[in-house]
């Protein structure tokens, strides 16, 4: 969601910006733009609505310079138009600025300081750049004006700004929205995430909330808003450009679905030692052992992985678990237990809804763990402990391998915690064997892609609505399966507790309505079979996805053997593939579905 890139000190600035923006495409956007300055009085601003390829077409060969900033915009304030695309500029064309985040007091600032200024856009961002200019016109230098504006601005932001009068530097600031500095030899870059600049450097420096950076080609000066200098070392990002390429795949989503068996093996190798003992931080387990309740906080697919996790932790560790949506929990925090422990699940580690809960948890001095796919992400840095998903970069907007990895890591953690508690349930749960079964089970499903494609065509061609139903663990899974289908195929899909349908929603079932029924949950299996009959009697076209143990003749997809607790790791895969093929059949942009962003950095 909104991406920022910037570079200073290279002579192929335009190229670096455009390539960087392409790498950030996965985050979701609806317009894009660059500002390039040749430090010799000449500068260029190019903006386009739509894909980066449109922007590339609009960039002529003379757009060259030694400093530049670029942006992909995901519309919040104002429609996706050229005027609303970033970079925004002050009315005297002195300052150019890109922004990721949402300014909450922009109307107030506009009324108070900028009532006589002409605005070109409807965005909150333009207020920031006009405000800097307003203070510059009062005689402040660029940096002082920038700091003054920052001291008044409320909300979330990552800013990068170029002052035409000082084109030897980029002004950078951050609050709540992600931004990194990348270090080069005789040049420096900025980016919303390291993937954008891996071709330039693997060495990065974090910027923390409330900090300002003056970036020049040979120096990085970090300070707090009040001017106090900050010293911070760099870290190396161990990713290859090849990790983020599609290879021979038509879409990242299919590649990422196919990678899941390997992700299971990687998690197993990393967290389970050769002697079978678990590689989980002792302090983390001791802290969790003191908790009388675990609170899992997440959004979207990660929330669904949390629902699966609840079952795993409650059964293996005998501890009560609440699973909460960050967007709700942060604002309506219920009465907490006496000794809560918070687990944040987040693929990106940047989700603003979850982060605002973590900020409150930290204010309350409560212990927390972030389970994330992105080391050094905001949620990972700010939680007391971190565990990595090790799934490799997930580029497709629809999350697949991060969901299965989250369940796998939850299973490892539950086993480790249960062992610390000395519970038989933990001893009986052979996580190493289960992850091996998961890897093989996923493989057998992805090997049956052609069959699943046929089923997707048969059940979903021409359909507007679909239902996923199941009980217990299959209900949690149905929510994720339905989300996958709706977000990329745009078919209206609902995940339902199988027993709930008859309490109202069954009214929507008519001749030919596709219903995907999950039967992996031992306790619920026979009842779900009853619910299948109810919808069939009303004309539904039912596709059953059942585990080997509970399968009956006529069931279309059979899930290989695995412990029920983590069965969604395998049984979600047919749903991922069904969604993929339904999206393809409709001619949708599978990897970048409409209106969506990969990393949701606004609340
Ligand atoms: C759906 C999807 C989203 C994310 C959600 C949370 O396929 O990817 O629902 O799961 O936006 O994102 P993270 O996990 O990065 O916190």
């Amino acid at each position: 969601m909104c991406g920022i890139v910037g570079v200073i000190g290279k002579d192929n600035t335009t190229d670096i910006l455009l390539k960087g923006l392409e790498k950030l495409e996965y985050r979701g956007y609806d317009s894009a733009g660059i500002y390039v300055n040749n430090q010799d009085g000449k500068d260029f601003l190019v903006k386009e609505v739509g894909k980066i390829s449109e922007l590339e077409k609009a960039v002529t060969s003379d757009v060259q310079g030694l400093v530049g900033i670029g942006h992909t915009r995901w519309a919040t304030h104002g429609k996706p138009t050229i005027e609303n695309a970033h970079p925004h500029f002050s009315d005297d064309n002195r300052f150019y600025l890109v922004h990721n985040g949402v300014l909450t007091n922009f109307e107030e600032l506009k009324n108070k300081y900028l009532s006589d200024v002409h605005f070109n856009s409807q965005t909150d961002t333009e207020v920031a750049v006009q405000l800097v200019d307003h203070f510059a016109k009062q005689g402040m230098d660029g940096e002082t004006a920038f700091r003054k504006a920052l001291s008044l601005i409320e909300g979330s932001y990552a800013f990068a700004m170029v002052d035409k009068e000082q084109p030897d530097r980029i002004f950078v600031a951050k609050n709540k929205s992600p931004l990194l500095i990348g270090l080069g030899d005789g040049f420096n870059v900025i980016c919303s995430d390291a993937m954008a600049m891996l071709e330039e450097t693997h060495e990065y420096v974090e910027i923390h909330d409330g900090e300002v950076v003056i970036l020049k080609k040979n120096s990085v000066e970090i300070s707090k808003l009040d001017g106090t200098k900050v010293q911070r070392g760099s870290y190396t990002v161990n990713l290859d450009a090849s990790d983020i390429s599609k290879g021979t795949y038509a879409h990242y989503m299919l590649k990422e679905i196919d990678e899941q068996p390997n992700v299971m093996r990687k998690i197993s190798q990393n967290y389970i030692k050769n002697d079978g003992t678990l590689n989980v931080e002792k302090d983390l387990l001791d802290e969790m052992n003191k908790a009388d309740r675990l609170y899992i906080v997440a959004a979207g697919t990660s929330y669904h992985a949390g629902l699966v996790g609840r079952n795993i932790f409650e059964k293996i560790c005998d501890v009560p678990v609440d699973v909460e949506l960050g967007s709700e929990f942060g604002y309506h925090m219920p009465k907490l237990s006496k000794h809560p422990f918070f687990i944040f699940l987040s693929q990106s580690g940047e989700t603003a809804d979850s982060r605002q809960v973590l900020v409150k948890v930290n204010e309350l001095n409560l212990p927390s763990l972030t389970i994330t796919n992105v080391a050094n992400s905001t949620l990972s840095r700010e939680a007391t402990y971190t565990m990595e998903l090790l799934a490799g970069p997930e580029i497709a907007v629809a999350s697949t391998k991060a969901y299965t990895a989250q369940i796998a890591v939850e299973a490892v953690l539950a086993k480790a915690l249960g062992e610390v508690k000395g519970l038989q349930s933990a001893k009986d749960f052979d996580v190493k064997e289960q992850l091996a079964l998961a890897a093989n089970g996923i493989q057998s499903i992805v090997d049956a892609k052609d069959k699943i494609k046929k089923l997707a065509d048969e059940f979903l061609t021409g359909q507007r609505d679909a239902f996923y139903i199941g009980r217990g663990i299959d209900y949690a899974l149905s929510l994720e399966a339905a989300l996958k289908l709706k977000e990329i195929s745009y078919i209206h899909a609902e995940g339902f507790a199988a027993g709930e349908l008859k309490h109202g929603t069954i009214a929507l079932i008519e001749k030919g309505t596709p219903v995907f029924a999950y039967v992996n949950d031992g306790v619920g299996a026979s009842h779900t079979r009853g619910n299948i009959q109810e919808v069939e009697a009303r004309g539904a076209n039912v596709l059953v996805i059942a585990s080997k143990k509970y399968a009956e003749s006529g069931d279309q997809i059979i899930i290989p053997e695995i412990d029920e607790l983590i069965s969604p790791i395998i049984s979600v895969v047919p749903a991922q593939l069904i969604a993929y093929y339904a999206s393809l059949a409709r001619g949708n942009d599978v990897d970048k579905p409409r209106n969506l962003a990969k990393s949701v950095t606004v609340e």
Side-chain angles (χ1 to χ4, degrees):
M1 177 173 278
C2 294
I4 288 179
V5 288
V7 57
I8 186 156
K10 283 273 211 179
D11 46 19
N12 56 341
T13 300
T14 305
D15 244 29
I16 294 174
L17 294 179
L18 291 173
K19 273 198 192 142
L21 290 179
E22 273 173 17
K23 299 278 166 25
L24 294 179
E25 276 193 297
Y26 79 97
R27 295 165 72 90
Y29 70 105
D30 34 46
S31 57
I34 57 170
Y35 170 78
V36 178
N37 185 307
N38 75 358
Q39 296 181 342
D40 215 10
K42 208 152 187 231
D43 62 350
F44 307 86
L45 175 69
V46 191
K47 310 202 264 186
E48 269 302 331
V49 173
K51 302 279 173 208
I52 303 296
S53 50
E54 298 303 317
L55 178 68
E56 282 165 347
K57 279 186 217 152
V59 172
T60 47
S61 56
D62 56 330
V63 180
Q64 298 295 340
L66 297 167
V67 57
I69 49 178
H71 188 266
T72 48
R73 171 174 188 252
W74 189 83
T76 55
H77 296 74
K79 292 194 171 131
T81 59
I82 291 200
E83 292 72 32
N84 289 335
H86 301 214
H88 287 284
F89 49 91
S90 55
D91 69 345
D92 58 359
N93 293 314
R94 173 173 167 186
F95 295 99
Y96 288 79
L97 175 137
V98 291
H99 167 217
N100 173 8
V102 175
L103 307 183
T104 46
N105 64 339
F106 75 102
E107 301 268 22
E108 205 179 305
L109 294 172
K110 194 170 172 178
N111 294 337
K112 187 162 176 192
Y113 297 97
L114 305 168
S115 53
D116 54 348
V117 175
H118 169 74
F119 274 76
N120 291 297
S121 75
Q122 287 96 46
T123 62
D124 52 339
T125 303
E126 192 182 348
V127 172
V129 71
Q130 301 282 19
L131 196 61
V132 176
D133 194 47
H134 168 82
F135 292 119
K137 281 187 177 133
Q138 291 184 351
M140 294 181 198
D141 61 38
E143 182 177 338
T144 315
F146 185 56
R147 286 181 188 275
K148 174 72 183 167
L150 291 173
S151 71
L152 298 169
I153 285 170
E154 287 167 15
S156 56
Y157 55 78
F159 287 132
M161 187 188 80
V162 178
D163 174 1
K164 243 167 114 168
E165 293 190 4
Q166 288 175 297
D168 65 334
R169 66 198 67 189
I170 303 178
F171 296 94
V172 178
K174 169 189 161 358
N175 186 42
K176 294 189 190 168
S177 298
L179 200 64
L180 294 173
I181 303 289
L183 306 180
D185 188 4
F187 72 94
N188 287 308
V189 297
I190 47 172
C191 47
S192 296
D193 76 47
M195 276 195 259
M197 287 294 168
L198 280 180
E199 281 186 26
E200 304 309 320
T201 179
H202 281 62
E203 216 49 36
Y204 290 85
V205 180
E206 293 164 2
I207 316 172
H208 292 181
D209 286 353
E211 290 178 348
V212 176
V213 184
I214 308 297
L215 193 71
K216 296 187 185 168
K217 66 177 186 174
N218 286 316
S219 66
V220 180
E221 257 177 48
I222 309 178
S223 58
K224 296 196 178 143
L225 194 51
D226 64 11
T228 320
K229 296 269 175 274
V230 174
Q231 295 299 336
R232 184 166 303 126
S234 62
Y235 63 93
T236 306
V237 171
N238 292 317
L239 278 178
D240 269 349
S242 65
D243 286 339
I244 53 172
S245 93
K246 266 201 295 238
T248 54
Y249 283 86
H251 298 99
Y252 281 108
M253 183 176 177
L254 196 59
K255 174 175 178 258
E256 288 159 10
I257 291 172
D258 275 3
E259 281 170 354
Q260 293 176 107
N262 262 344
V263 173
M264 292 303 121
R265 290 183 198 110
K266 216 165 154 191
I267 290 172
S268 183
Q269 278 159 12
N270 185 72
Y271 287 113
I272 309 170
K273 298 183 198 160
N274 286 342
D275 63 0
T277 54
L278 297 177
N279 186 14
V280 179
E281 226 177 309
K282 185 176 174 305
D283 288 356
L284 161 66
L285 296 173
D286 290 344
E287 195 71 71
M288 287 183 81
N289 196 19
K290 288 184 217 150
D292 57 359
R293 186 174 284 268
L294 306 180
Y295 291 83
I296 300 180
V297 180
T301 288
S302 296
Y303 171 75
H304 297 152
L307 294 175
V308 176
R310 168 165 61 199
N311 209 31
I312 301 174
F313 285 111
E314 290 194 342
K315 299 272 166 35
I316 296 182
C317 309
D318 195 26
V319 58
V321 180
D322 278 3
V323 189
E324 307 284 350
L325 290 167
S327 55
E328 285 294 313
F329 192 71
Y331 298 103
H332 303 98
M333 206 182 265
K335 189 166 164 41
L336 297 176
S337 69
K338 275 209 174 94
H339 301 291
F341 184 92
F342 282 82
I343 300 176
F344 291 85
L345 284 183
S346 175
Q347 188 284 129
S348 62
E350 299 294 347
T351 300
D353 287 324
S354 302
R355 201 241 169 167
Q356 49 100 7
V357 180
L358 178 53
V359 169
K360 290 187 179 121
V361 164
N362 284 341
E363 277 164 14
L364 295 169
N365 267 324
L366 296 172
S368 59
L369 160 72
T370 289
I371 299 179
T372 182
N373 204 25
V374 184
N376 291 99
S377 56
T378 306
L379 283 164
S380 136
R381 288 198 308 266
E382 295 182 357
T384 329
Y385 304 95
T386 298
M387 286 177 83
E388 274 186 58
L389 292 176
L390 308 166
E394 192 182 64
I395 312 273
V397 164
S399 183
T400 53
K401 60 179 179 173
Y403 172 80
T404 46
Q406 280 168 337
I407 299 172
V409 172
E410 286 175 315
V412 170
L413 179 60
K415 163 91 176 169
L417 179 60
E419 280 182 348
V420 168
K421 289 178 184 288
L423 295 170
Q424 189 58 39
S425 45
K427 288 187 191 120
D428 294 344
F429 181 68
D430 184 343
V431 70
K432 187 167 184 171
E433 182 186 31
Q434 290 305 320
L435 292 183
L437 289 173
N440 295 343
I442 298 170
Q443 193 61 55
S444 70
I445 303 287
V446 296
D447 288 348
K449 277 191 194 87
D450 293 347
K451 174 183 168 184
I452 292 176
K453 180 182 179 318
K454 276 197 195 118
L455 289 170
D457 291 344
E458 183 189 330
F459 279 79
L460 292 171
T461 302
Q463 296 295 340
R464 268 192 13 203
D465 304 289
F467 295 89
Y468 272 93
I469 61 170
R471 286 171 181 256
I473 197 69
D474 290 333
Y475 170 39
L477 168 63
S478 294
L479 295 174
E480 172 56 12
L483 175 61
K484 278 299 85 88
L485 185 58
K486 65 187 139 190
E487 69 180 330
I488 58 169
S489 75
Y490 316 146
I491 294 170
H492 167 237
E494 297 291 339
F496 256 89
E500 264 307 285
L501 273 183
K502 61 183 176 297
H503 295 291
T505 308
I506 201 164
L508 294 174
I509 303 292
E510 51 190 38
K511 193 166 179 325
T513 305
V515 175
F516 301 94
Y518 274 118
V519 189
N520 301 289
D521 183 279
V523 182
S526 63
H527 287 98
T528 303
R529 291 283 175 191
N531 302 129
I532 291 173
Q533 303 222 333
E534 285 161 13
V535 291
E536 270 178 342
R538 284 150 184 91
N541 200 12
V542 181
L543 187 158
V544 179
I545 305 169
S547 68
K548 213 166 166 185
K549 199 162 161 196
Y550 306 113
E552 292 183 358
S553 85
D555 292 350
Q556 292 91 333
I557 300 177
I558 308 302
I559 301 299
E561 194 189 327
I562 188 158
D563 190 310
E564 250 170 71
L565 286 178
I566 63 162
S567 59
I569 291 183
I570 305 180
S571 46
V572 75
V573 182
Q576 296 171 343
L577 288 165
I578 286 170
Y580 174 77
Y581 288 117
S583 174
L584 260 193
R586 282 166 159 72
N588 297 348
D589 189 344
V590 176
D591 285 336
K592 293 182 222 107
R594 68 184 181 205
N595 305 340
L596 289 178
K598 180 70 181 164
S599 176
V600 185
T601 49
V602 295
E603 280 169 37

